[in-house]
Amino acid sequence: MRFFLNRIKERLWIRPLAMCLLSTASVFLARLVDVTEISQIVPLITLSSIETLLNIIASSMLVIATFAVGSMVSAYASASSTATPRSFSLVIADDVSQNALSTFIGSFIFSIVALIALQNSYYDKAGRFVLFALTLLIFAIVIITFVSWVDRIARLGRVNGTIDKVEVATAAALQRRRLTPTLHGVPAGTHVPGGRPVYGSLIGYVQRVDINALQKYADNAAIRITVAALPGTFAAPGRVLAYVTADLGDFTDIDIGQIEKAFLIGGERKFDEDPRFGFITLSEIGSRALSPAVNDPGTAIDIIGTLIRLFALWSAPIKDNENLRIAECDRVEVPEICLRDMFDDAFTGIARDGAGAVEVMARLQKAFESLASIEHPVMRDVAICHSRLALARAESTLKIPEDIAVVRRLAKFGNKTG
């Protein structure tokens, strides 16, 4: 359900359509009060006063909605050009901007429908009063929405705002994977998977794996399934999605199509269940900032700080108020995400493109030292390995001996014991 709702948030037309339907319904529902006794106590509202307010809304909201669309498109273009195109789905799903656009369009539709109803004598005394109250309420909502949206649109699409959105999405994916390291399946062994391979027929990226569907089919078919393609894996004909092992060794009645359907494959990666995609996106933002055309090492340094926070979150022990999900699907084996791969996604690009900037390489070595000091069984070794790779890149790129000496001094933490 979360995956489905996130895809809806990436569609700009969903909320405006819902607001249009709600606005139209409110205009007609206001007529219902005319059949009640409220008309005896409400004040008389003249037709001209309501029409004046509705004409103001009708004449201004369409212009503001057009301005809102133009500002949002500019922000989306800025996010793709200054940060990375991979962040576009997060920027377009911004709740404040979508709510603002929906409010402006919904107010316009409300005013048009209400004017038509008024001019055709659709309301009596009570209906006019309710419509007048609704119009004032919409005025207040529009003003509040516009003021808050102006503050948000000034930041939407900026590099810092985009980094924050990517960090939030990556942290959410990491947190879910911390609590469900095998996606509710059982841990896959370290041995090479055996059994009958299942190949995909579609070309794209695995966006999610329905482990429950695999478990249900495995129970019915008396088989065991080993997932070979985690979310984020590129799938194509000839690439294995899973391996199947039959309890009785008979593969005759196994429907490979049922297994393939459990793998949702699309044209692009999604942040929901793919923490590595978040690290790749952050690394791309840092690499673009280090390009000669941009030359913004400060942004790369900010990215390094963000990566430290994310890896600290990943390595944090499970707290008492956090529930580690136990394996519920005992017939589905799922490999855990590899920490070394996440380090490669996060730091390789920045270390390569920032090898000529001493301030970036110094901050990178400090980051590796911080991560190596975390009490994690694997992270220290991986951090030391990347520290040595970053040092090698810096030594081959930096020209001034003093700069090289600074990076070497910071990289010596890997030689310390304990």
Side-chain angles (χ1 to χ4, degrees):
M1 182 60 68
R2 180 185 63 250
F3 186 87
F4 176 73
L5 292 177
N6 287 341
R7 302 293 76 73
I8 290 179
K9 290 176 64 177
E10 295 172 2
R11 299 291 183 267
L12 279 178
W13 59 271
I14 296 291
R15 292 191 188 183
L17 176 62
M19 190 62 70
C20 290
L21 296 176
L22 180 62
S23 301
T24 304
S26 64
V27 171
F28 290 101
L29 289 176
R31 175 69 173 80
L32 298 178
V33 299
D34 285 328
V35 298
T36 66
E37 298 180 356
I38 297 179
S39 59
Q40 300 176 4
I41 59 176
V42 299
L44 177 64
I45 304 297
T46 61
L47 184 64
S48 60
S49 61
I50 305 178
E51 287 184 345
T52 301
L53 292 175
L54 292 174
N55 281 322
I56 294 174
I57 296 177
S59 60
S60 59
M61 283 302 100
L62 185 59
V63 177
I64 295 178
T66 304
F67 167 73
V69 172
S71 300
M72 292 167 65
V73 170
S74 298
Y76 301 152
S78 175
S80 297
S81 60
T82 60
T84 172
R86 257 59 64 188
S87 64
F88 177 75
S89 61
L90 296 177
V91 178
I92 201 173
D94 181 71
D95 291 331
V96 175
S97 297
Q98 289 200 15
N99 290 338
L101 180 62
S102 303
T103 300
F104 300 151
I105 296 179
S107 301
F108 174 74
I109 297 298
F110 172 85
S111 62
I112 295 299
V113 176
L115 279 173
I116 295 174
L118 277 177
Q119 293 174 357
N120 287 275
S121 303
Y122 184 67
Y123 301 103
D124 291 332
K125 179 181 178 183
R128 290 183 182 179
F129 175 79
V130 172
L131 185 64
F132 179 73
L134 285 175
T135 305
L136 294 179
L137 177 62
I138 288 177
F139 254 118
I141 293 175
V142 167
I143 292 173
I144 295 174
T145 301
F146 183 78
V147 171
S148 62
W149 173 76
V150 167
D151 179 73
R152 184 59 168 257
I153 199 65
R155 297 173 173 82
L156 187 65
R158 299 298 183 265
V159 175
N160 290 339
T162 304
I163 293 174
D164 292 340
K165 288 182 178 296
V166 178
E167 180 181 1
V168 170
T170 307
L174 282 174
Q175 179 69 1
R176 287 191 291 268
R177 188 59 66 89
R178 281 180 66 235
L179 302 180
T180 55
T182 57
L183 303 177
H184 299 288
V186 296
T190 57
H191 60 277
V192 178
R196 180 179 176 180
V198 177
Y199 299 98
S201 58
L202 300 176
I203 300 176
Y205 292 96
V206 177
Q207 295 178 344
R208 70 181 302 268
V209 182
D210 193 343
I211 303 297
N212 291 324
L214 291 177
Q215 172 70 17
K216 182 178 180 180
Y217 180 72
D219 281 334
N220 296 334
I223 60 175
R224 297 188 66 84
I225 301 173
T226 301
V227 174
L230 291 174
T233 303
F234 183 76
R239 297 291 297 272
V240 179
L241 297 178
Y243 292 93
V244 179
T245 303
D247 292 350
L248 302 177
D250 184 11
F251 296 95
T252 305
D253 297 329
I254 295 179
D255 185 1
I256 298 300
Q258 292 293 327
I259 300 175
E260 183 183 352
K261 282 181 5 181
F263 292 82
L264 178 61
I265 298 175
E268 57 185 14
R269 299 173 73 168
K270 301 296 182 182
F271 292 91
D272 307 66
E273 299 182 13
D274 186 7
R276 290 182 58 186
F277 185 48
F279 286 119
I280 291 173
T281 303
L282 289 170
S283 180
E284 288 182 354
I285 297 175
S287 294
R288 176 166 292 189
L290 293 170
S291 65
V294 179
N295 192 21
D296 181 18
T299 295
I301 292 175
D302 290 341
I303 290 290
I304 294 172
T306 300
L307 294 174
I308 296 175
R309 287 193 294 271
L310 292 173
F311 279 110
L313 170 65
W314 174 257
S315 61
I318 304 297
K319 299 179 181 178
D320 294 336
N321 58 350
E322 295 177 331
N323 296 322
L324 180 64
R325 307 317 200 270
I326 61 175
E328 302 170 357
C329 304
D330 56 347
R331 285 187 170 270
V332 182
E333 296 183 0
V334 182
E336 296 186 13
I337 193 170
C338 179
L339 181 62
R340 188 175 296 275
D341 291 340
M342 290 196 293
F343 261 73
D344 292 340
D345 297 332
F347 294 111
T348 299
I350 297 177
R352 179 196 63 226
D353 297 327
V358 63
E359 65 270 33
V360 175
M361 301 310 292
R363 182 58 62 91
L364 200 58
Q365 292 295 340
K366 293 177 181 179
F368 292 138
E369 182 177 7
S370 298
L371 295 175
S373 65
I374 296 176
E375 295 182 0
H376 190 276
V378 181
M379 188 168 293
R380 175 176 173 80
D381 293 337
V382 179
I384 291 175
C385 177
H386 272 265
S387 171
R388 291 171 180 169
L389 288 174
L391 175 60
R393 290 189 172 96
E395 289 175 337
S396 64
T397 306
L398 293 174
K399 304 299 183 182
I400 301 177
E402 288 78 5
D403 291 344
I404 299 176
V406 169
V407 180
R408 284 176 178 170
R409 176 174 54 81
L410 294 173
K412 286 183 178 180
F413 74 91
N415 297 325
K416 299 176 183 178
T417 60

